[in-house]
Amino acid sequence: MIGLLQFYLKKRFTLFSVGEEYEKAEYIVFGVPFDSTVSFLPGCRFGPLAVRLFSENIVYPSLAGMHSKIADLGDLIPSINVKWMLKRTFKIVDKISSEGKKPIIIGGEHTLTLASLRAIAKHSDLTTIIFDAHLDLLDDHMDSRVNHATWLRRFLDKKRGKVVVIGCRDFLEEERKYGEENLDLIISADLVHRSLDEVLEELRGLLKNSENIYISVDVDVLDVGGRIGVSSPSPNGLTPSQVTRFLEVLCRKNIIGMDVVEVNPLIDMGASASYASYFIAYTLSSQKIDVGY
Ligand SMILES: [Mn+2]
């Protein structure tokens, strides 16, 4: 009887329909359905659900043969407390990284990256590449020091490795000043539009001595004109192919972790969820070629 049930019933959605077997996997997917500190449009707590749903509707030929190397373990248990979310995310990433595996995290709001980076930095050197319309460098925002607009400032308080932000265009003067003093490279959206090839070259130069890369994609880096549903939409953003050109450069290195954040299905028709899954698929399948797994 159980055989019949398994024949007719489909298990819950997983990213790219991968399995849940941790031991053999190289990449460990989990979701963080958290949006309690979002300052504009709430809803990205449903991001993990939407990204998995839309990932199942797309066939990525380049991922062929990769499925056994990816395991999707589900979502973080729900909390509306940012400290608990960070604590639990830290513990999971710490465990994954300590066993030589690589976390792939689906947000949820951008704050989770703070815990992920701190945990990975315990185990290896890293260079962090962030795609974002914003700098997330406020010291305090809406009476809170730890939220999706301040998390990078909190990481820089105890900076580990080089940090680069790509695609930014929507920030306060205070953040720009702090960023210029404390980030290793800022590639604004304007620079990408004006001289993509030159900035790609600059990035290549900066990464010369970087072996391990962590990629954080805030999907609001994409232009809002593409009907991108995110928690803080911003005009004059990057195109998906511009983001892909950067990923192409990054994938020549060892990607030790990745997150895609801020997908907000409550205002998304599927564009941001589809691109979030695409960016993960592109990155993992390029690793297959370049690193030799
Ligand atoms: Mn952002």
Side-chain angles (χ1 to χ4, degrees):
M1 192 57 185
I2 187 76
L4 181 140
L5 295 180
Q6 280 169 341
F7 185 78
Y8 283 113
L9 298 175
K10 188 183 183 305
K11 281 197 179 172
R12 64 176 175 79
F13 289 113
T14 61
L15 192 71
F16 315 132
S17 307
V18 298
E20 302 168 358
E21 225 186 301
Y22 178 80
E23 297 302 332
K24 284 185 205 153
E26 174 94 33
Y27 300 98
I28 308 300
V29 177
F30 70 99
V32 178
F34 181 91
D35 64 7
S36 302
T37 82
V38 162
S39 48
F40 190 44
L41 302 168
C44 65
R45 70 178 64 185
F46 302 109
L49 201 65
V51 175
R52 288 192 184 98
L53 175 65
F54 281 85
S55 81
E56 285 222 335
N57 182 55
I58 305 166
V59 179
Y60 296 103
S62 56
L63 270 184
M66 281 289 284
H67 281 71
S68 62
K69 295 180 179 128
I70 310 169
D72 184 347
L73 299 194
D75 286 348
L76 196 70
I77 51 176
S79 171
I80 57 165
N81 182 318
V82 69
K83 278 187 189 158
W84 279 105
M85 181 278 285
L86 289 172
K87 213 173 222 177
R88 290 166 182 158
T89 302
F90 179 90
K91 282 192 172 188
I92 294 171
V93 176
D94 185 26
K95 164 92 175 150
I96 293 169
S97 303
S98 72
E99 294 177 356
K101 299 178 188 289
K102 298 151 180 177
I104 305 293
I105 312 174
I106 313 169
E109 60 170 70
H110 213 160
T111 318
L112 68 89
T113 311
L114 175 60
S116 180
L117 288 178
R118 281 181 178 166
I120 289 190
K122 266 183 73 183
H123 302 283
S124 61
D125 297 338
L126 82 167
T127 293
T128 303
I129 310 291
I130 302 159
F131 294 88
D132 201 333
H134 312 94
L135 285 173
D136 297 346
L137 284 175
L138 292 171
D139 194 31
D140 182 288
H141 187 55
M142 293 184 169
D143 307 320
S144 145
R145 279 172 57 81
V146 182
N147 58 65
H148 80 150
T150 67
W151 74 268
L152 184 54
R153 177 81 170 245
R154 295 289 81 81
F155 181 67
L156 294 181
D157 287 345
K158 294 176 199 161
K159 189 179 179 217
R160 302 285 297 270
K162 289 180 184 167
V163 181
V164 177
V165 179
I166 299 170
C168 52
R169 58 205 184 259
D170 192 345
F171 43 78
L172 295 175
E173 177 61 15
E174 168 200 340
E175 294 177 278
R176 188 190 61 77
K177 245 178 139 180
Y178 192 87
E180 278 175 5
E181 284 162 15
N182 294 278
L183 293 168
D184 295 273
L185 183 61
I186 301 175
I187 301 175
S188 68
D190 196 45
L191 266 178
V192 176
H193 296 317
R194 283 170 199 275
S195 48
L196 179 58
D197 289 327
E198 283 160 42
V199 292
L200 285 170
E201 211 39 56
E202 197 178 350
L203 181 64
R204 264 188 216 107
L206 183 111
L207 296 179
K208 222 169 196 171
N209 299 317
S210 303
E211 203 175 312
N212 300 319
I213 309 283
Y214 184 96
I215 302 175
S216 178
V217 183
D218 182 332
V219 180
D220 69 30
V221 74
L222 296 176
D223 188 59
V224 73
R227 299 168 79 202
I228 296 298
V230 288
S231 292
S232 305
S234 182
N236 197 30
L238 270 50
T239 65
S241 59
Q242 285 170 333
V243 174
T244 308
R245 292 282 305 278
F246 282 104
L247 290 178
E248 194 182 10
V249 170
L250 302 176
C251 286
R252 300 198 174 277
K253 303 285 178 172
N254 179 37
I255 306 301
I256 50 169
M258 180 172 190
D259 63 57
V260 287
V261 298
E262 303 272 337
V263 168
N264 187 344
L266 297 191
I267 56 158
D268 186 35
M269 301 294 283
S272 63
S274 301
Y275 277 120
S277 81
Y278 170 76
F279 292 143
I280 299 173
Y282 182 91
T283 302
L284 298 192
S285 49
S286 305
Q287 284 287 287
K288 181 177 69 172
I289 299 160
D290 292 318
V291 180
Y293 291 122

